[in-house]
Amino acid sequence: MTLPSPPFLWPSMQTALSIALDALAYGMALFIICIGLSLTMGLMRVVNLAHGAFAMIGGYIASYAARDLALGYAFAITLAVLGTVLIAIPLERLLFRRIYDRSELSQVLMTIGITFCVIGITNYVFGPTLKTIPLPAELARPVDLGFRSIAGHRLFVIASGLVVAGGLWFLIERTGFGIRLRAAVENAPMARALGVRTELIYAASFALAIGLAAFGGVAGAEFLPIEPYYALRYMVTFLVVVSVGGAGSIGGALAACLLLGSIDITARYLMPEFGNFFFYLAVILVVCLFPRGLMGRAKA
Amino acid sequence: MTALGLKPDGAQARPLLRDLASIALIALAGASGYWLFPDNLSFLTRVISVALLVLSLDLVVGYCGIASLGQAALYGAGAYAAGIACLNGVTEPFLLILIGAAAGAVTGLMMGAVMLRAHGLPQLVLSIAIVQLLHEAANKLAWLTGGSDGLSGMLPAPLFGLFEFDLWGRAAYLFGLGLLIVTFALLRLLVRSPFGMVCRGLKEDPLRVSALGISAFPVLIRMFAISGAVAGMGGALGAIATQVVGLDSVSFELSANALVMLVLGGLGQLTGALIGTVVFMSIEHVIAAINPFHWMTLVGAILVAIVLFAPRGLSGTLDELARLLRREGRP
């Protein structure tokens, strides 16, 4: 005799709400990490698979500062962002600058190589264990929203995501730096002829992208735990999200993060045994329907 | 490199001789592996199995210019097809290889049909998504694939009814070596055929090829099917030799490693694929046993160095050295 399989239960209103809030927070965490990658890929035309590696470096630094040195959370985040950018600047000058105008395959290979090196070296230095980043008391306790309480950390991530999206939009569309950046992307020789120092612009936006990666790595550590193979495990996720959103578009990246984040979280809640099946199914469908991404502005 | 892969210096004049020489070299290297490392034959068989995967990747990346990080989807399809067939009573090794090739070819057709819809980065992402999708499917369909435990307990019939696939793996190794040599020879003919030339043309200048009245999609999808068949044979060989099929045979990691091996050896030459596989897997065999993180650092450094200093890979660099030497000897 076989037992009847349990009937599929539609989630209750409460479950649906907590899924939605989790999905929103997860999508925002993805967004903070991925928007930097979207900028490097859409504006600077570099397929930087090492982006996750920089998020991982940020996470390792923050974990070391907050857990082993017992420094404050805000201080640990600042340290992580600055430290990661400091590590990335020489890499940009020595390695990335040489592949800006090379083929996609070269860029993929070199950045995978950098990822492998980062994984090998960080684990040699810090040891191959899971790194936690202890949350301060204000972020660890739940916050009452009136209709529902939400973990303070999730609220922090959602707010940070909104600030990052708004700030970047302002920076790119409304400031002198943004105008120069867009000019350098549209037509680099002409921008140089007009006196824009494109190398400096590229270096600055690269540093910005890396800083955001590090910040996202720390803020999103509750969803994407900092572990030895972080850079490799989520490399595909980040790349997929950016490609689905359309490289270089803030709105596209936000839409892709929220869409794929909610598919991922919902599938995990309701059908955990399928793993990432639905995530990748959605990716294939979106890429086939929108080959340039949801809101692609640049021809990849 | 000139268009359509025509090489100067008389290399084009005696292609058959070159092919025979490389086949003889493969046979020689294979035989010396057999005599020198009799205790490591199962590892060497795995090298051959992966070499078939890397060869198949070369067809797509090196000859058609389509970057793929999902080639293990085809390898895994062949491995699982052969494994499932073997557990269901089809034990003849040659038939199992054919089943693997067919499964790989069908998967290749589907993969090509999806991947050729996009270009550039979205295409790369599609290849990753396909291999991840198949990975999750193989994990979920436990009644068919054994889920995360994989398939085990396959007992292929003796080769030609005489040679058992035993613990020492002599039969499996020689069987694999024969398969590799035959496949390599056939692929050499393929890439020099008009069909292979059209593929190279599509890689170098798609606009010009379409101006000649050749439509790209049918050509490329055929190459995907052929590539799938080769990768599927590699997977089937792995299944026969190790008598285990695991989820790692259809993984992003294996796909990425295959691409690294190919680029290490050199794109678009077939011999480069073999050299890259042997070098990569031998170093991995030694160093990864000591410390897997040192191995990752080393692979990373090698990749960066290749992109910066030797974009044509080991075999391309060797070719260039040889040409330089020849020019010096004959002013």
Side-chain angles (χ1 to χ4, degrees), chain A residues 41 102 113 116 120 236 277 288 291, chain B residues 121-122 128 133 296-297 300 307:
Chain A
M41 266 172 21
R102 294 276 290 273
F116 281 174
V236 170
F277 186 83
C288 281
Chain B
L121 180 71
I128 300 174
L133 198 67
M296 293 203 87
T297 315
V307 174

Side-chain angles (χ1 to χ4, degrees), chain A residues 41 98 102 104-105 109-110 113 116-117 119-120 123-124 128 229 236 243 273-274 276-277 280-281 287-288 291, chain B residues 117 120-122 124-126 128-129 132-133 136 140 252 263 267 293-294 296-297 299-301 303-304 307-308:
Chain A
M41 266 172 21
R98 294 166 185 240
R102 294 276 290 273
E104 244 153 45
L105 188 64
L109 290 168
M110 173 177 276
F116 281 174
C117 281
I119 292 178
N123 284 289
Y124 180 69
Y229 288 102
V236 170
S243 157
E273 71 276 15
F274 277 93
N276 286 323
F277 186 83
Y280 287 107
L281 194 63
V287 175
C288 281
Chain B
R117 290 184 61 93
L121 180 71
L124 193 69
V125 167
L126 277 179
I128 300 174
Q132 298 277 28
L133 198 67
E136 297 293 345
K140 178 66 188 126
F252 170 70
V263 173
L267 285 168
F293 290 116
H294 287 338
M296 293 203 87
T297 315
V299 175
L303 267 178
V304 171
V307 174
L308 288 184

Side-chain angles (χ1 to χ4, degrees), chain B residues 11-103:
Chain B
Q12 192 69 17
R14 287 166 296 169
L16 203 65
L17 215 63
R18 250 181 91 115
D19 285 3
L20 287 178
S22 31
I23 288 172
L25 265 178
I26 297 172
L28 195 69
S32 51
Y34 182 79
W35 295 115
L36 290 177
F37 307 104
D39 299 334
N40 279 333
L41 285 183
S42 61
F43 167 69
L44 292 181
T45 314
R46 187 169 155 68
V47 172
I48 292 178
S49 156
V50 176
L52 286 168
L53 167 68
V54 180
L55 273 179
S56 78
L57 186 62
D58 198 13
L59 294 179
V60 173
V61 182
Y63 287 92
C64 301
I66 299 173
S68 167
L69 273 172
Q71 194 72 6
L74 311 175
Y75 179 86
Y80 272 106
I84 292 166
C86 192
L87 287 178
N88 287 303
V90 185
T91 53
E92 168 57 37
F94 286 99
L95 197 56
L96 287 176
I97 293 286
L98 279 182
I99 290 174

Side-chain angles (χ1 to χ4, degrees), chain B residues 40 43 279-292 295:
Chain B
N40 279 333
F43 167 69
V279 171
F280 182 95
M281 290 188 72
S282 318
I283 306 178
E284 181 186 29
H285 192 62
V286 177
I287 295 186
I290 304 170
N291 182 336
W295 165 239

